[in-house]
Amino acid sequence: MVNTEIPQHYTASPSSFSGTPLLTINHDATIDLDSSTAFEGPEKLLEVWFSASPRSLPASTAPEGLKNVPSQIWKDMLNLVNCKVLSVVESEHVDAYLLSESSMFVFPHKLILKTCGTTTLLSGLPRILEIAAVVSGFPHLVANPISGRATAATPYRVFYSRKNFLFPDRQRGPHRSWRDEVKTLDRLFLGGSAYMIGKMNGEHWYLYLTEPNTILTPPATPERTGTETKLLQLPCPEEATNGINDRLDDGQDETLELLMTDLDEESSKQFYLDHASAVAEGQYYQQAAKAREDAHQHLGEINNHHLSSMSIHDKVFKEMKRNTNPDALDIFSNTSSENGEYSSDEEDMFPSELTTEGHALGTVVSESSGLANVYPTSKYPDARIDAYLFTPCGFSANGVIPAPTGPKATNYFTVHVTPEPHCSYASFETNVPSHQTGRETAEVIEQVVSIFKPGRFSVTLFETKPSLAHIMSCNGDNEGDAIRLGHMKAAAKKSVRMENIRGYRRVDRIVHDLDGYELVFRYYERFDWEGGAPRLGEVVF
């Protein structure tokens, strides 16, 4: 069920009927918000799983798991991370938090937190473990004041990753170096593995993950040797699936992440407030002209009382909403006149919400840039996009994508853009399964890349694969071989298509077998790119 309770200081969208994601906006958090502090585009990304799927929550857990946690508790946790909640889209399977620095997604069984700038993401991790234990009731270790151990839920699995920073000297807390981040994670978890994927003297990506059924680190282990970061610099051979733990019991888990730098300056203009406001103004006055023309043509049929109670201004605003994603533009209902507040003398007044930073212009940008069409409402009728445009530039959006057919499930996508030329960066992440879209993964990549036209970008693709236990449980060797062969053929077909992203050459490709997953890292450069070597920022050696 959709949670229709409105948190304090929030304004709810009127689109709150059952089955539709509910949008709430924290207006207090948007006061004096300026994107100029979010200089570091590349995000820190944390996934904490407390069970393998929503259907396998432990008996001690609240029925909705982490979704049972009140939003105020999450907001207090995010204070430790140094970011604020701008708005929340609540749905049956996931709550999507749009943050002042990126995004957070709360499922019953896992939490995904992605933050950019100088946020201190890992500083919030102990509190996340405590919330999962105390509020959601996940199995946990109780606090021990003598040893200094806090109450902490035992995760099923933990993933932490990020691209190399552009400005590592400006990071704070545990994020001043990858070494410090690994030490911070090792203090919490036993048996974690740390990797650097890519070129030491080029674009690279860091990953830390734990094995399934993670074990918390005992508190008194000051002499323990830290996890060594493994360097994966050359393509690894694609191997048959063996030695893999049981597959996640909710089927295919697939996460695609694009990290784009050196954005095309012309394409980047659409993520500046002045440009977006000009686009909105043009659309607005086009609709105004059309509304007047329609009024004149049907003058004899229009009720005079209705004309006096609804101005052209109101009609145009309503028409702008209808001509774009109606759910995504519910935000206008929080700011526009619905009861004829404008007189006929104010018909040509351009709405102030389309001249200032916020959700209204964020929605305009998501539509005009083409981001709203990556998962269009024609195919995903219940999809909802929550977008925000910053001053003087910068853009963030969360998409909540309920599956149109098949088993009930809700996926997400998230986009974040830093368009300034000296540090331009954009990211796109989604867990919408490729089989659900009816398109190949490469097609989704090409659509997103065409919006930003980056000089270079990297792609990471995490996918679960058939486990040895699953293959061995099949009826006879032939069936197990068929499953293995089918997986290998599908992977090979996808790999061939991913080698040919229109307008780009693939520079690096690294395949790695992880416990239960296959990770493929690729790095691309545009054919006509003349920008020189990558801006490393963070040097490994």
Side-chain angles (χ1 to χ4, degrees), residues 227-239:
T227 298
E228 178 185 357
T229 298
K230 303 167 187 177
L231 306 181
L232 304 179
Q233 297 171 262
L234 299 175
C236 302
E238 298 187 48
E239 300 171 353

Side-chain angles (χ1 to χ4, degrees), residues 29-39 84 86 100-101 273 357 388-394 420:
T30 65
I31 297 174
D32 298 325
L33 192 59
D34 192 329
S35 66
S36 60
T37 58
F39 59 87
K84 300 176 181 178
L86 301 180
S100 55
E101 284 86 7
L273 189 145
E357 75 166 63
Y388 194 98
L389 187 69
F390 295 89
T391 299
C393 61
E420 296 95 325

Side-chain angles (χ1 to χ4, degrees), residues 129-382:
L129 300 179
E130 183 179 25
I131 291 170
V134 176
V135 182
S136 296
F138 282 96
H140 58 274
L141 299 178
V142 296
N144 186 334
I146 297 177
S147 65
R149 183 181 67 205
T151 298
T154 304
Y156 172 73
R157 202 155 193 188
V158 177
F159 302 84
Y160 174 72
S161 64
R162 65 171 176 83
K163 182 186 177 296
N164 54 295
F165 288 135
L166 298 177
F167 308 101
D169 56 310
R170 302 184 190 181
Q171 292 298 318
R172 298 180 292 172
H175 299 287
R176 292 187 175 91
S177 70
W178 176 244
R179 186 186 300 274
D180 288 346
E181 290 170 315
V182 172
K183 286 181 178 178
T184 298
L185 290 160
D186 279 347
R187 291 191 193 103
L188 293 170
F189 312 115
L190 279 177
S193 299
Y195 302 90
M196 192 202 82
I197 303 171
K199 294 180 178 180
M200 296 175 66
N201 61 344
E203 294 280 352
H204 53 272
W205 186 75
Y206 296 103
L207 170 68
Y208 182 100
L209 75 164
T210 65
E211 297 178 352
N213 301 308
T214 300
I215 300 175
L216 297 174
T217 299
T221 56
E223 304 299 325
R224 193 168 74 87
T225 302
T227 298
E228 178 185 357
T229 298
K230 303 167 187 177
L231 306 181
L232 304 179
Q233 297 171 262
L234 299 175
C236 302
E238 298 187 48
E239 300 171 353
T241 56
N242 50 33
I244 303 167
N245 231 330
D246 288 345
R247 183 179 179 176
L248 297 180
D249 65 1
D250 59 339
Q252 185 76 6
D253 179 42
E254 177 181 328
T255 301
L256 170 70
E257 186 177 30
L258 278 73
L259 308 177
M260 298 166 276
T261 58
D262 303 291
L263 309 183
D264 176 70
E265 290 191 24
E266 192 63 31
S267 299
S268 296
K269 289 180 181 178
Q270 58 194 324
F271 301 102
Y272 281 77
L273 189 145
D274 289 347
H275 184 278
S277 184
V279 170
E281 186 175 13
Q283 293 175 349
Y284 178 83
Y285 286 118
Q286 284 180 358
Q287 296 290 348
K290 186 177 185 302
R292 287 194 190 91
E293 182 180 350
D294 291 345
H296 286 302
Q297 289 177 353
H298 301 90
L299 189 59
E301 303 174 10
I302 297 177
N303 183 289
N304 290 331
H305 173 75
H306 183 65
L307 265 179
S308 64
S309 66
M310 180 180 288
S311 69
I312 295 293
H313 180 286
D314 297 316
K315 291 174 182 163
V316 172
F317 222 9
K318 289 175 179 291
E319 186 66 21
M320 287 181 72
K321 291 195 290 182
R322 281 196 294 270
N323 287 346
T324 52
N325 182 343
D327 282 342
L329 276 175
D330 281 340
I331 187 70
F332 284 123
S333 296
N334 299 322
T335 51
S336 65
S337 169
E338 296 290 344
N339 300 298
E341 295 176 5
Y342 298 97
S343 69
S344 59
D345 294 336
E346 296 174 306
E347 287 179 354
D348 293 331
M349 182 185 298
F350 185 54
S352 61
E353 52 267 48
L354 294 178
T355 64
T356 57
E357 75 166 63
H359 292 83
L361 277 182
T363 300
V364 170
V365 172
S366 68
E367 295 286 342
S368 62
S369 67
L371 285 167
N373 293 326
V374 177
Y375 300 109
T377 53
S378 58
K379 182 174 179 63
Y380 300 91
D382 295 323

Side-chain angles (χ1 to χ4, degrees), residues 11 23 65 68 90 203 232 236-237 357 359 398 412 439 530:
T11 302
L23 172 66
N68 187 61
E90 297 172 308
E203 294 280 352
L232 304 179
C236 302
E357 75 166 63
H359 292 83
N398 287 339
Y412 71 90
R439 297 183 294 168
E530 298 178 353

